[in-house]
Amino acid sequence: AMSEIMAQRVRRILTSAARDGIQLASFEQPEPMSQFEHFRHLTSVYAASGRPDWVFFSDDDDIWSEHRYSIWKSQCIAANSSVTALLCRRKAMPKIVRSSEKQTHPLETRAAPKDGHAVRELIRAGQVRLTDANEPDSVARAEQNMPEYFDFAVRFVTLEQFFMRAPRVLTEHKLCDLGFCHLLTRVHEAHRFMPDGPDEFVYYYASLPEGTSRQVAGASGINVQQDDFDLARDSLIGGCHFRAVRLAFANPAFGLTGAQELRNCAVFVAELRQSVTQELVRMRATGSVIPAQLLAGACTHEARVSLEAYDLPNTPELFSWANELANGVLRNFVLHALEFEAVVDWDTWQVQLIRTERSAMEILDVDCGYSNKDGIVRTRIGPWVGGMQPPPSISIGRKAQRFGSE
């Protein structure tokens, strides 16, 4: 939501653009809406009149290449009828340098570029890098190369189908873009391309906080809640791993008090909760029934990556604690928050119901089976479309930090 002063300024800019002959269709909502709820509204407007063939997206705080429109136009025209989504593999971003074994930060440029020409000058000067979504970066975390929604163009019917199937709990979520990108890359298998020219790009990303990915810096900023403090307190005073937890989050060399100890642990719990949420938002985009094996693998992956990111001791006891949190109370909280229906074991077909609108048998028959002449056959379809294994690295890059060292 914006202030009325800002809203009036935007209206004046749009009016001025119209006088200059720039054709823009603008829509103003009376109430605050999430990013993808705005997109849902626009999709419904154009579904009723003037359906376009393709849609591509804009980001409001990055520099666009002056050739952006022509790049997307030529790719959309050239796409064959089987292609439902296009992905531009290349980004321009500040060059990443490593300050320590686990910390990276963007290289400071002489001056912030103002347009595409200035970005290309920085590319030639070695201060801006060109990434490739197909390849992990050799310096920064692989997530720095992950595609975001504005790296895609989609057929209008693809976007329309997404909003027909996506529940409000997903499109109202601040991380809905993760689910949308997951669907386009894993299910639609977007056709990938590189722009022509050695220094051509579509977007230049602004500088990021030290060691932080764009997604963490933006919508997915960590909010430490009271539940995180409660879980941290329980972990520090009880449970079979409390000694390992206290040793990890208390650093006598810096004279930490009990309150600081609790705060450090709560921040870690909040980060782990957010990481589990990011994983499950992706899976929610493919359905409301989640495979138990993928769920456990994703949560375990995040427990391990979170410990590494915070430079905590790599001990079996501490990993067991983080893994139990991720695969226990945090996982269950997120499953309910995102309104999943059930968890299904794909080896035994046992069903753990989360909501009770449908029976276990209905879920198995509709989401995990198909009919043939012999009746219902169990198979890994529905929520498993788009790959049986989690992506090799789907966590959000984040700053490695040592508690108490600041």
Side-chain angles (χ1 to χ4, degrees):
M2 66 174 66
S3 67
E4 181 57 29
I5 294 175
M6 180 64 72
Q8 290 176 3
R9 183 181 177 190
V10 171
R11 294 183 196 114
R12 287 196 298 270
I13 292 173
L14 291 170
T15 301
S16 175
R19 292 197 198 101
D20 293 338
I22 300 175
Q23 296 182 2
L24 293 173
S26 61
F27 301 88
E28 184 176 348
Q29 303 300 329
E31 300 293 335
M33 295 170 64
S34 70
Q35 182 181 61
F36 271 75
E37 280 297 291
H38 281 294
F39 291 160
R40 184 194 288 274
H41 175 76
L42 289 172
T43 302
S44 66
V45 169
Y46 285 98
S49 62
R51 297 170 61 90
D53 291 330
W54 286 87
V55 175
F56 70 91
F57 304 90
S58 296
D59 189 43
D60 62 354
D61 57 356
D62 293 317
I63 294 175
W64 308 344
S65 166
E66 66 275 30
H67 306 133
R68 182 183 72 128
Y69 176 78
S70 61
I71 290 172
W72 282 122
K73 181 180 178 180
S74 63
Q75 290 293 326
C76 291
I77 291 174
N80 64 48
S81 59
S82 65
V83 174
T84 58
L86 296 166
L87 167 60
C88 180
R89 289 163 47 186
R90 182 181 289 166
K91 294 178 174 66
M93 294 182 67
K95 187 175 181 180
I96 297 294
V97 296
R98 188 179 296 281
S99 57
S100 67
E101 182 181 353
K102 292 190 176 183
Q103 288 187 308
T104 61
H105 62 85
L107 179 69
E108 292 187 8
T109 58
R110 295 188 301 267
K114 301 298 184 182
D115 54 30
H117 295 294
V119 172
R120 291 187 184 85
E121 289 181 4
L122 292 175
I123 292 172
R124 289 189 285 271
Q127 294 185 297
V128 165
R129 63 195 178 104
L130 295 173
T131 68
D132 185 348
N134 284 5
E135 299 177 3
D137 192 90
S138 60
V139 177
R141 289 182 177 273
E143 294 82 41
Q144 296 277 4
N145 289 354
M146 285 176 60
E148 300 197 47
Y149 73 94
F150 41 80
D151 293 320
F152 292 91
V154 299
R155 291 192 185 275
F156 183 78
V157 67
T158 302
L159 188 63
E160 193 175 23
Q161 289 172 352
F162 171 77
F163 286 114
M164 288 173 61
R165 298 170 181 171
R168 292 283 181 176
V169 70
L170 179 62
T171 56
E172 291 176 353
H173 201 283
K174 66 180 181 179
L175 300 178
C176 182
D177 61 312
L178 298 182
F180 184 64
C181 293
H182 177 78
L183 198 68
L184 295 180
T185 54
R186 305 278 292 180
V187 178
H188 288 274
E189 298 182 343
H191 174 72
R192 299 174 180 232
F193 71 92
M194 278 289 204
D196 294 333
D199 60 358
E200 187 56 272
F201 63 97
V202 174
Y203 287 100
Y204 168 74
Y205 282 16
S207 298
L208 307 177
E210 181 176 334
T212 308
S213 79
R214 177 55 174 267
Q215 288 163 312
V216 170
S220 54
I222 304 303
N223 177 27
V224 184
Q225 302 175 2
Q226 183 59 48
D227 287 344
D228 301 319
F229 278 100
D230 293 341
L231 285 172
R233 185 177 293 105
D234 292 343
S235 299
L236 288 165
I237 64 175
C240 56
H241 305 299
F242 82 94
R243 289 186 177 86
V245 176
R246 295 202 69 174
L247 181 63
F249 292 101
N251 192 337
F254 297 99
L256 295 184
T257 66
Q260 290 170 306
E261 200 176 285
L262 176 62
R263 173 71 183 177
N264 290 342
C265 188
V267 170
F268 176 84
V269 171
E271 175 103 24
L272 183 56
R273 171 178 52 80
Q274 182 82 332
S275 299
V276 171
T277 301
Q278 291 163 354
E279 299 278 16
L280 297 194
V281 163
R282 290 181 175 93
M283 296 184 186
R284 188 65 178 89
T286 63
S288 62
V289 179
I290 188 169
Q293 285 78 358
L294 291 188
L295 176 61
C299 292
T300 298
H301 170 77
E302 284 304 333
R304 182 174 291 108
V305 169
S306 295
L307 289 174
E308 293 174 356
Y310 276 88
D311 200 18
L312 292 170
N314 185 19
T315 64
E317 294 81 9
L318 197 62
F319 172 73
S320 294
W321 166 73
N323 193 36
E324 288 171 13
L325 268 182
N327 275 287
V329 63
L330 297 180
R331 181 200 78 167
N332 293 336
F333 171 80
V334 179
L335 287 173
H336 282 88
L338 293 177
E339 298 180 2
F340 279 92
E341 282 193 273
V343 178
V344 178
D345 187 304
W346 66 24
D347 292 324
T348 65
W349 300 111
Q350 290 184 324
V351 178
Q352 174 196 343
L353 289 175
I354 300 171
R355 291 156 50 203
T356 58
E357 285 84 350
R358 294 191 293 168
S359 68
M361 189 57 66
E362 286 176 308
I363 288 172
L364 288 176
D365 289 348
V366 173
D367 293 81
C368 312
Y370 66 92
S371 298
N372 63 13
K373 63 180 181 178
D374 299 319
I376 297 292
V377 177
R378 297 280 174 249
T379 187
R380 300 173 187 179
I381 62 173
W384 294 283
V385 169
M388 300 303 299
Q389 301 299 325
S393 181
I394 54 179
S395 65
I396 301 303
R398 46 194 172 266
K399 176 182 177 182
Q401 68 182 72
R402 185 183 300 278
F403 287 114
S405 61
E406 298 179 351

